[in-house]
Amino acid sequence: MTPLLQIRCVILVMVLTGCTPAGQILYAVIPDGTIPILLSNLERESDINRQRVAAFERKGDWPGLAKFAEENIVKDSANSSWWLVAGYAYSRQKNHPRAITCFREMVRLEPDVAEGWNLLAQEHRAAGDSHRAVAVLTQALTALRDSSITLLLLGESYSDIGQFDQAVRPYQQALQLDAGLTPAWAGLARAQIKRGQLAEAESIARAQEKIHPQLAATIRAQMKAAP
């Protein structure tokens, strides 16, 4: 399966003011309006099918897109791409149970693809169950290698439930793999502030001043507001 997208720039705006919103981060992985991401995963499909997917997305017809994906799942249930499209459509309708089922099937079919695990975890977060997201991402990391995005999302999920001590390590591991993953710097700084480690947070702010001055300013504002 073609990788969906690197999300570092897309979710930066989200993390500047706190944890990535659980209901929005799915659309950071597949941003609203980026139908080429869906279509890239349907590259083996006919042009007619691809055009229909694009038309449903363009109109925002999520029930229609879900129905179309389900029809194709009946025809080809081993095609993980249709489970992706169905999960996306159900998520847009906030039908979290069905979206979770679709993304879980995507993972079953392609357990070595990080994006499926990430989408499944984020749908659990969107449903308000970050504990389950932690479990999914922890399991994912036993099957995957060198997935900085999965580690970032594990840090975010721990942060959701206030386990900031546990959040620090996955953020750090994500940054060891990809030092340019700005959302992980934001999450790490936030976790350190919550832990009372203001010197560590200030060190991150200084390092980000020239690269992302808005992030540096946000970190210092969070430090000032800390009890």
Side-chain angles (χ1 to χ4, degrees):
M1 178 181 294
T2 304
L4 300 180
L5 193 61
Q6 288 293 321
I7 64 175
R8 70 186 67 176
C9 296
V10 183
I11 66 176
L12 175 57
V13 173
M14 296 181 184
V15 300
L16 286 174
T17 56
C19 295
T20 48
Q24 295 180 28
I25 195 167
L26 176 65
Y27 311 126
V29 182
I30 307 178
D32 189 20
T34 55
I35 192 62
I37 302 302
L38 291 180
L39 296 183
S40 70
N41 287 279
L42 294 171
E43 57 188 7
R44 296 191 300 272
E45 293 297 315
S46 68
D47 287 343
I48 292 175
N49 279 351
R50 289 161 56 85
Q51 288 167 8
R52 289 194 66 186
V53 169
F56 283 123
E57 198 276 345
R58 194 162 47 246
K59 293 186 295 185
D61 183 359
W62 311 124
L65 180 58
K67 182 174 183 292
F68 183 58
E70 293 279 14
E71 290 170 352
N72 281 279
I73 286 171
V74 170
K75 298 174 186 175
D76 185 7
S77 62
N79 187 335
S80 63
S81 296
W82 285 117
W83 290 103
L84 162 63
V85 174
Y88 174 63
Y90 284 117
S91 182
R92 295 307 304 259
Q93 298 174 76
K94 301 188 185 305
N95 185 342
H96 303 304
R98 184 55 184 162
I100 286 169
T101 296
C102 293
F103 292 136
R104 188 183 294 127
E105 186 64 13
M106 184 180 169
V107 166
R108 188 188 72 80
L109 291 167
E110 298 212 39
D112 57 343
V113 175
E115 287 78 17
W117 292 98
N118 295 344
L119 289 164
L120 176 58
Q122 294 314 322
E123 196 61 31
H124 281 299
R125 290 184 71 207
D129 192 353
S130 291
H131 285 89
R132 183 63 62 85
V134 167
V136 167
L137 293 162
T138 301
Q139 183 181 358
L141 290 168
T142 67
L144 303 172
R145 294 182 58 191
D146 300 341
S147 178
S148 59
I149 300 300
T150 303
L151 287 161
L152 163 65
L153 299 180
L154 180 57
E156 293 293 282
S157 298
Y158 274 127
S159 294
D160 288 344
I161 57 180
Q163 295 185 10
F164 297 105
D165 287 343
Q166 290 86 346
V168 167
R169 181 164 176 77
Y171 285 135
Q172 291 174 332
Q173 290 175 320
L175 290 165
Q176 287 171 2
L177 293 171
D178 185 353
L181 192 58
T182 306
W185 287 115
L188 178 58
R190 185 177 61 246
Q192 297 290 29
I193 292 168
K194 293 291 187 179
R195 298 172 70 237
Q197 305 296 318
L198 300 187
E200 286 81 352
E202 172 58 29
S203 176
I204 295 171
R206 283 199 303 271
Q208 294 295 317
E209 277 178 333
K210 292 184 178 179
I211 309 169
H212 294 293
Q214 185 183 357
L215 175 56
T218 299
I219 292 170
R220 290 192 170 114
Q222 292 171 346
M223 293 169 60
K224 186 175 180 181

